[in-house]
Amino acid sequence: DLIDQSQNNSEKLGLKITLEKQELAGLPLNLVYGLDVLVDETWQSLIRTGRSWVPKSRYENYAPFAQVEFTGIDKLIVTAGARHEESKLEVDDFTTLASAGSQFVRGGEPEFSETLYNIGATYRLTPTWRLFANYAEAFSMPDVGRVLRAINIPDQSVESFLDLEPVLTENAELGVEYSSSMLSAQLAWFRSDSDLGQRLQRGDDGIYTVQREKTKIDGLEFRATWHATDADALGLRYAATDGRYDSNEDGRVDSDLGGSNIAPDRINVSWDRTWSTRVRSRLQVNHLLDRDFEDSTGATTAEFDGYTTIDASADIEGFGGVITAAVQNLTNEDYFTYYSQTNLLDIRYFKGLGRTFRLNYQVNF
């Protein structure tokens, strides 16, 4: 019968130094280099009972990087770079909540080190057409709080707990771009692959935990803007994403990632108009497409019925600033959210917001 509310507390300090050198040693090489530093202390407590749901953790990350750009070949630009990640996570001894079995977990200071590489190129076919491709490696920590609070096995140690290993991702992208005075458009395909990714999974109690599994995400994105007149611009956006994970640890992805892990496929159509030097407006239609989610046997685990919403806004310069008047869900569409439909749980089954009005005043100084 206990009802409580969690509160996330986070204190971050960061530093970013970026330096640039054009035409290095007189060659057609441009260099960007620098250092990123992050120190993050985070903990999660329960407000009513004062218990610690997620113990305080201190994460330190130092990442020097360098990126070179080669422009010595006509119409071709090649970039390549490297980034070295040095990270440390500090967590003291702690005991999980009773709902996780009141497990005592030994603290520790695991350290992680990884060097990441990237390479890419763009080639201008004509003054209006351009091809691009790139490959990049990425480093990130999993959701440490969710991992720590979900430990329900005795004799675990932060120092050696596999689920705290970083998420290393390989990313690839291919695309084509068109740009003229009246029309700009881009079509891109991308893939993101991780041998030890992270997936959010809801338990019977409605609380999400992190599962570490092989994951693969493929996607297609298209965007276009047509400047129909000097005052009017029509836009079209389409995005589709397919994600799968390894459900049985056989090294092959076989089940669809759920709605907590992957965005819905969508189409967005917009109209932007400049009425005068002081008045601008935007009207957009956003449609989320139907989708089914399947497990490794091909059985449907969730179904999403798409919906369409319409938004409108206007910016008016005046009184020394900008006044923004906006209406979301202009037609008062009645729908259940993507999250609710793909994460079936009665206490979290919500409808989306109805027609909503917003009025802002912004001053820059």
Side-chain angles (χ1 to χ4, degrees), residues 264 266 286-291 293 303-309 329 332-354:
R266 67 176 64 216
N286 194 42
H287 175 65
L288 304 190
L289 282 70
D290 296 349
R291 185 175 198 151
F293 298 84
E303 296 180 353
F304 171 64
D305 293 328
Y307 50 83
T308 302
T309 56
N329 194 1
N332 204 30
E333 176 75 9
D334 187 26
Y335 64 94
F336 285 95
T337 66
Y338 174 73
Y339 172 86
S340 294
Q341 292 189 49
T342 57
N343 297 276
L344 300 177
L345 187 67
D346 287 347
I347 62 173
R348 295 193 179 189
Y349 201 68
F350 304 119
K351 283 193 173 184
L353 287 175

Side-chain angles (χ1 to χ4, degrees), residues 106-181:
R106 293 187 301 277
E109 298 182 3
E111 297 184 4
F112 313 102
S113 177
E114 194 74 29
T115 301
L116 311 171
Y117 303 96
N118 71 80
I119 185 169
T122 62
Y123 182 74
R124 187 167 295 281
L125 293 170
T126 69
T128 56
W129 287 95
R130 185 174 71 100
L131 301 175
F132 61 89
N134 66 73
Y135 167 84
E137 298 173 337
F139 172 103
S140 65
M141 290 296 292
D143 192 327
V144 172
R146 292 185 190 271
V147 171
L148 294 177
R149 78 188 190 197
I151 294 177
N152 56 8
I153 302 173
D155 301 323
Q156 297 297 310
S157 169
V158 170
E159 195 75 34
S160 58
F161 196 54
L162 177 63
D163 286 357
L164 289 173
E165 288 287 321
V167 180
L168 301 177
T169 308
E170 295 181 345
N171 306 291
E173 184 181 28
L174 295 171
V176 59
E177 189 174 71
Y178 175 84
S179 180
S180 68
S181 60

